[in-house]
Amino acid sequence: MISGSLIRTKAVTGLAIAQLRRSPGRTALTVVAVTIAILSITLLASLGVGVVETGEDGLENADQDIWISSDPVDPSASGTENPIVGSHGIAADLVERDDMTYATPIAIHDVYLGTDPDDLERRPAVGAQQTHEGFDFEEGEGFETPESAYEERSSEPTTEEIVLDPRVADEIGADVGDTIYVGTSQESAPDYEFTVVGTSQYYSQFLGSETVSLPLVDLQAVAGTIGTDRATFITGNVADDADREEVAADLEEEYPEYDIRTSDEQIGAMLEEQPLVLASGGTLVGLAVVGGLVLTINLFALVAAQQRTQLAALRAIGLSRRLLAGTIGMQGLLIGLLGGVIGLAATPVLVGRLNSLAGSVAGFDDLLQTPLEVYAIGFGLSIVVGTVVALIAGWRAGRYARIEHLEE
């Protein structure tokens, strides 16, 4: 029984290889088509995964244990109303706790900026106490707010330094060391001059747009919120021996007017507030699978149809429909295996180039992400689906493979 099955397998394999060798041009084109199908699956799926995970990675890279936030003052506004009042005082109280080692407020405003007060660009701006190594500056360096700025709380900017997204710097024609105008309105921007100290895309990965950053006290002075000390978030880290879930629970009781979340909860809240992100990512993955299936099915149906004459000849000499279907199925397996391997080998190369393009255009260096599941889906479709579809197509083709085709 086993020897008989082995003999039939060898016969089917021999016939499949002979058929493939008989038409090398068609075989090569079929392998290329399978490769393209696999690339469409892996690249689209990688984009779908990246769309969902980019925001998550951004928050994880922020390396903050606790996030304090609240609904904006005007829920219909852009979400940059900075609803936390007295943010520096709250941050100072948090640091006084035994289970907290660090806390800092962060504010977000839309600002107008440019080298010419009559030609200003609107961009989101993030106010922070200082920059750090994670900014990965392309040019220049960052800023640090002196302690005296927190004690005096001047209504005028004190540090007057700003870090630009490289694309913003190109658009407004500013280099490191240049002076630009910054304000929360076109009317107020000419009153405030800032020096460009560096270029970095750090905060752009969080907001998904070309973002600038400057000292928080300077942003508050420009926005006119220095008196109320408004912020969008207060982030902090817990002590090494503290449990962040327990710390978050304690803070919820102490500050019931605010939303207290751990970093994992903040990621979940972000995704809940952005259902289109999940929907678009899932849609891309779905399109990748469906598109690959459709292309593979059509491909092997055409391969079987083009061999109808050869199948008719094999049927005429006594080969069964099962053997003919097995021959086409073996062709599908071999072509799927070769095309799948080439497609998977080309995937990381294309992903790297597309990520470089996305980084230069949109500021996302790892927009396409390829976990092992993406490769498994691509290879599985190329082998399993290719073989099954080819078997079905071969069975249907064998059904119509008759001697009349030889006469034609």
Side-chain angles (χ1 to χ4, degrees), residues 206-272:
F206 296 95
L207 302 184
S209 58
E210 302 163 3
T211 306
V212 304
S213 55
L214 61 159
L216 174 57
V217 291
D218 285 3
L219 181 58
Q220 290 177 332
V222 169
T225 61
I226 196 74
T228 53
D229 189 17
R230 291 186 175 275
T232 307
F233 299 106
I234 296 178
T235 64
N237 289 329
V238 303
D240 292 338
D241 57 350
D243 182 88
R244 59 182 180 179
E245 281 77 15
E246 294 181 0
V247 174
D250 289 342
L251 292 177
E252 283 181 351
E253 296 181 1
E254 186 173 351
Y255 300 97
E257 67 274 26
Y258 296 122
D259 296 323
I260 314 294
R261 300 186 180 99
T262 63
S263 57
D264 293 338
E265 292 171 341
Q266 182 66 21
I267 292 173
M270 180 200 71
L271 293 178
E272 288 178 1

Side-chain angles (χ1 to χ4, degrees), residues 29-53:
L29 289 176
T30 306
V31 171
V32 170
V34 171
T35 300
I36 294 174
I38 299 308
L39 285 174
S40 70
I41 294 171
T42 56
L43 295 180
L44 269 178
S46 298
L47 180 59
V49 172
V51 166
V52 175
E53 292 190 355

